[in-house]
Amino acid sequence: MRRLVAPPLVALALCMLTGLAPASAADGGAGLGDPYFPTDGNSGYDVAQYDVRIAYDPARPDHLTGDTTITARALTDLGRFHLDLTGFDVSSVTVDGRGARSVAREGEHELVITPARELRKGDDFSVRVRYSGRPVGGGWHSLTDGGFSVSGEPHAATSWYPANDHPSDKATFRLTATVPDGWSAVGNGRPGPVTQDGAGRRTFRWYEDRPLATYVSTVAVDRFTVRTSELPDGTPVVNAYSPDALIDPDAEALQEDIIGFLASRFGPYPFSSAGALVLTGRSGAGPADLETQSRPTYDSGLFDVAMVHEIAHQWYGDSVSFTDWRDTCVAECVAQYAQWLWYEHQGDDVDRDYYLPTVEEHRADPAFWRVPLYDPGPGRELDSALYARGPLMLHALRRTVGDQAFFDLLRAWPAEHRYGNASWPRFEALAAELSHQDLRGFFTAWARGTQVPPDRYLYPAGLPRPAAR
């Protein structure tokens, strides 16, 4: 554990005047208790807004300067509280404008803050953290020309700002990023004014006015080509391309068509901006395409199969986020099935072209069915089963309840839980409510089962069983 401390004489004076916080001081805890990531987040407060200010110079690609202010409300009395931050040297922390009594680093990502006065349940407070240094963590991706991007799942935010890093605590987001002339910074939400300081630097501002989960926050700095347009309803579209990225006006037009199509299935587009970050030369592991809120991140170019999936997440995963990491099917399974819906919209037969051939190919393969779709287990929260079997389950559900109830479900979910969180069990319950059917056996077999579902669930009405072998 590394502590940030005042000089010895100042520290002694603080101890004499105020005393150290007792070990029994109320503590929100090191985590929210997620079954897969028990130390992520903090249960003692609820974040309302992140105001993240960063400065980056590509001449020093291993260095970031940050100044983040978090506005939150205490959910219990707090003698101290935790933020999640990976790496960096923290130079100062204030709570409501007063220097913190102590700041400690614990574990891989815990920043433990003891404020000068204990926070009471219901108090609104702000904490400001100033930090700098070499960014680390899986979310940070260097770009070959000196820029960078931040994206990743399940963790990315802590690579560049302190956060209550769990999808269940969503907040609005402001980004202010200063970079040298000739470079651009792009983030979530709507663009704000760009200013110059007379010293060869420009400052970019972005505002996401709808709550986001921390892992879908993003920033990218590169020598972007930025192309702007509007959706038919006036929603601004901002597409930013790395220098070597493919710029295809037809793909940009298709992006608008995909948003319109998905809105016809899921309800109105949920955010005040749209667009894409198209990056090249990205280092590091993790998904190259990701549903960063309002402006998904893509690798090299815009292609329909990737756009449908990541844009579908704007409803399923971003506007409505899951409650904890057991629930990822409610985002990934639906986004993957959205691709089938798009193909159907293009004229394909989903039964004949996708569902039945896939079932027939894997029906006798135990490994294909081994991982449950709900609660797949720690380390499997994004297991390939969600992408391979998720659309099968949803299509079987569609054939079980009928198109009317199924598409009512796809529209009702984003409307009922708009800008909030909901669990996979709630999705199951809503499906039963809207279809007026007992679906417990179906979901036990498809979402919780670890073997091929019985034929009555594998081949519901309208799906022909194969001939006996």
Side-chain angles (χ1 to χ4, degrees), residues 79-98:
R80 62 180 184 175
F81 57 91
H82 296 231
L83 293 171
D84 298 299
L85 180 67
T86 305
F88 294 110
D89 294 317
V90 176
S91 58
S92 72
V93 177
T94 61
V95 181
D96 290 334
R98 301 177 65 184

Side-chain angles (χ1 to χ4, degrees), residues 57-102:
D57 186 344
R60 298 182 66 193
D62 59 351
H63 188 88
L64 183 76
T65 300
D67 184 348
T68 292
T69 298
I70 300 167
T71 304
R73 173 167 292 180
L75 300 178
T76 186
D77 293 345
L78 289 174
R80 62 180 184 175
F81 57 91
H82 296 231
L83 293 171
D84 298 299
L85 180 67
T86 305
F88 294 110
D89 294 317
V90 176
S91 58
S92 72
V93 177
T94 61
V95 181
D96 290 334
R98 301 177 65 184
R101 182 173 295 176
S102 70

Side-chain angles (χ1 to χ4, degrees), residues 135-257:
V136 295
W140 182 270
H141 306 287
S142 298
L143 303 179
T144 53
D145 61 356
F148 75 92
S149 71
V150 183
S151 62
E153 189 179 4
H155 302 109
T158 57
S159 297
W160 63 298
Y161 67 94
N164 197 24
D165 192 27
H166 192 269
S168 64
D169 191 3
K170 301 172 68 172
T172 58
F173 198 87
R174 292 173 174 261
L175 170 65
T176 305
T178 300
V179 296
D181 285 345
W183 296 79
S184 300
V186 180
N188 306 91
R190 299 174 70 98
V194 179
T195 56
Q196 292 186 291
D197 66 0
R201 296 179 300 185
R202 290 193 298 170
T203 296
F204 294 80
R205 296 167 178 83
W206 296 87
Y207 307 101
E208 178 48 87
D209 53 2
R210 299 300 184 184
L212 56 67
T214 48
Y215 81 89
V216 293
S217 63
T218 191
V219 62
V221 171
D222 208 345
R223 296 184 182 273
F224 286 119
T225 296
V226 178
R227 294 165 60 91
T228 61
S229 60
E230 291 184 348
L231 299 180
D233 64 359
T235 299
V237 178
V238 180
N239 294 317
Y241 296 87
S242 285
D244 295 330
L246 174 65
I247 300 177
D248 183 351
D250 291 339
E252 290 183 337
L254 187 60
Q255 179 187 48
E256 180 179 317
D257 292 343

Side-chain angles (χ1 to χ4, degrees), residues 20 41 107 227 247 345 424 434 452:
L20 294 175
R227 294 165 60 91
I247 300 177
H345 179 61
W424 175 259
L434 294 175
V452 61

Side-chain angles (χ1 to χ4, degrees), residues 334-351:
V334 178
Q336 196 74 359
Y337 187 64
Q339 295 174 340
W340 288 19
L341 295 176
W342 175 253
Y343 298 146
E344 183 178 50
H345 179 61
Q346 304 300 307
D348 289 358
D349 184 315
V350 175
D351 291 350

Side-chain angles (χ1 to χ4, degrees), residues 46 81 92 94 114 124-125 198 219 221 389 402 406 417 420 450 457:
D46 176 58
F81 57 91
S92 72
T94 61
T114 303
D124 293 323
F125 66 98
V219 62
V221 171
R389 292 210 329 270
F406 181 76
H417 302 290
T450 57
Y457 301 127

